[in-house]
Amino acid sequence: MGRVTAFWENTAQTPLQIVEDPFFIERGITLYFKRDDLIHPYVSGNKWRKLKYNLFEAEKKGFTTLLTFGGAYSNHIAATAAAGQATGFDTIGIIRGDELRADANPTLRFASQCGMKLLFVSREEYRDKEKLAQLVGEGCYIIPEGGSNALAVQGVAEVVAEIQSQLNRPVDYLCTALGTGGTAAGLLSASEAKVLVFPSLKIKGEEAKQMILQHLSVLEIKAEIMTDYHFGGYGKVKDELWKFIEQFETQINIPLEQVYTGKMMFGIYDLVKKGFFKQGDILVALHTGGLQGKTK
Ligand SMILES: Cc1ncc(COP(=O)(O)O)c(C=O)c1O
């Protein structure tokens, strides 16, 4: 058995945990949290799902180096570095920001300690990823920013069957955060349920749909995009969000972070308050991990 197969076969199903809050019970709504944050200490959440078939493919095709892209705090960079180290690939991360260094923050330090070679490029250079891949990526297996591609979609799709086997009743809404759209595409590719998408960036609903659609071979999707929960934009946080995260963690005892899952969960509570769901609805929110990037 190859190292990649051994790494990915060695996992149990993640818990589908009910969010025990009277707030939901009083309104007749059931919310489950699919705890993919517990899947692996360093390759957690949607990263586990998205990298799986990419690394299978890289191994099958005989690549020895993975090359990918990300910002200074990218969960995907950290996860690719860890997955590469665990499965015997060399890794290269092209990082947005030529003012940065490998010890600039815990994410980059971690990636570097996993053996990832970090190349820092200006924001302008970063925009042309194809050119960067041509310049430094010869012979490398290239994984796009955020890890989102068709093989990532295939990996994320597996969580749907896992949820169905754990729940044994139909889900009304599947909820996920959105960064590059690969995770939402994976859920949509495999689910009958409505998918509620919470962009962590300031973006119009139609733009988010296009981001998702580029990973799918369909023309339309059954997704509703909730654009009001970005808190000022990607990576932006407000006191109200920190307060919500703290309260949720104290009461429910499940960790959230401020870039993706905190914003999504804030949005779910807010939609419940506003009467978006009906009594009896079953919701499943995907915990996409990202806790390595938590700053408080
Ligand atoms: C923790 C976490 N949640 C959600 C997302 C959003 O996923 P996607 O980029 O597939 O939309 C990301 C980014 O990849 C992430 O790191």
Side-chain angles (χ1 to χ4, degrees), residues 44-47 50 74-76 145-148 156 176-185 197 200 211-212 215 234 257 259-261 286-291:
S44 100
N46 58 349
K47 304 299 167 284
K50 285 181 178 188
S74 166
N75 296 317
H76 167 67
E145 185 181 38
S148 290
V156 172
T176 182
L178 174 137
T180 59
T183 306
V197 181
S200 62
M211 282 170 90
I212 299 168
H215 303 296
Y234 184 75
E257 46 64 62
V259 184
Y260 297 101
T261 51
L286 184 62
H287 199 314
T288 42
L291 296 165

Side-chain angles (χ1 to χ4, degrees), residues 208-240:
K209 278 196 176 165
Q210 288 311 318
M211 282 170 90
I212 299 168
L213 274 166
Q214 73 183 1
H215 303 296
L216 294 168
S217 52
V218 293
L219 296 175
E220 263 182 50
I221 43 174
K222 223 165 105 186
E224 287 199 53
I225 317 289
M226 303 299 162
T227 52
D228 290 340
Y229 304 107
H230 55 73
F231 287 88
Y234 184 75
K236 301 267 166 57
V237 197
K238 294 194 172 145
D239 283 349
E240 191 187 9

Side-chain angles (χ1 to χ4, degrees), residues 11-253:
T11 33
Q13 276 193 351
T14 57
L16 186 64
Q17 185 175 347
I18 199 156
V19 176
E20 292 196 38
D21 187 336
F23 174 81
F24 293 113
I25 299 164
E26 282 157 16
R27 290 161 175 85
I29 286 159
T30 311
L31 171 64
Y32 292 89
F33 217 173
K34 176 65 173 164
R35 297 291 309 276
D36 269 8
D37 55 311
L38 300 174
I39 216 164
H40 186 274
Y42 306 118
V43 190
S44 100
N46 58 349
K47 304 299 167 284
W48 176 271
R49 310 261 178 204
K50 285 181 178 188
L51 286 171
K52 177 177 175 182
Y53 290 110
N54 275 292
L55 268 63
F56 273 75
E57 181 76 358
E59 185 180 62
K60 193 169 91 188
K61 296 214 163 130
F63 287 95
T64 57
T65 304
L66 310 173
L67 179 137
T68 195
F69 306 85
Y73 295 92
S74 166
N75 296 317
H76 167 67
I77 286 288
T80 305
Q85 187 183 44
T87 54
F89 287 101
D90 292 331
T91 51
I92 301 174
I94 299 187
I95 310 297
R96 185 176 58 233
D98 52 3
E99 76 287 4
L100 295 164
R101 290 161 35 146
D103 61 356
N105 68 40
T107 302
L108 297 177
R109 257 198 307 281
F110 173 79
S112 174
Q113 280 159 8
C114 289
M116 182 177 258
K117 185 172 159 196
L118 300 173
L119 302 175
F120 299 97
V121 300
S122 69
R123 281 157 184 77
E124 200 187 325
E125 287 168 316
Y126 187 83
R127 260 177 238 128
D128 196 347
K129 296 185 189 59
E130 265 178 41
K131 189 170 164 196
L132 288 168
Q134 272 170 14
L135 281 174
V136 292
E138 207 191 325
C140 296
Y141 182 84
I142 314 268
I143 305 175
E145 185 181 38
S148 290
N149 59 14
L151 292 171
V153 170
Q154 189 187 338
V156 172
E158 291 181 346
V159 78
V160 175
E162 211 177 291
I163 291 167
Q164 275 158 0
S165 74
Q166 289 172 302
L167 197 58
N168 236 338
R169 61 206 271 209
V171 177
D172 295 296
Y173 292 95
L174 277 173
C175 307
T176 182
L178 174 137
T180 59
T183 306
L187 297 182
L188 282 155
S189 73
S191 173
E192 289 296 304
K194 263 202 184 134
V195 176
L196 288 191
V197 181
F198 296 83
S200 62
L201 55 158
K202 204 170 177 175
I203 189 174
K204 293 199 176 84
E206 212 28 65
E207 289 171 302
K209 278 196 176 165
Q210 288 311 318
M211 282 170 90
I212 299 168
L213 274 166
Q214 73 183 1
H215 303 296
L216 294 168
S217 52
V218 293
L219 296 175
E220 263 182 50
I221 43 174
K222 223 165 105 186
E224 287 199 53
I225 317 289
M226 303 299 162
T227 52
D228 290 340
Y229 304 107
H230 55 73
F231 287 88
Y234 184 75
K236 301 267 166 57
V237 197
K238 294 194 172 145
D239 283 349
E240 191 187 9
L241 179 62
W242 279 125
K243 216 170 125 200
F244 169 79
I245 290 174
E246 272 163 35
Q247 260 175 13
F248 182 88
E249 290 182 338
T250 308
Q251 195 186 338
I252 312 295
N253 207 18

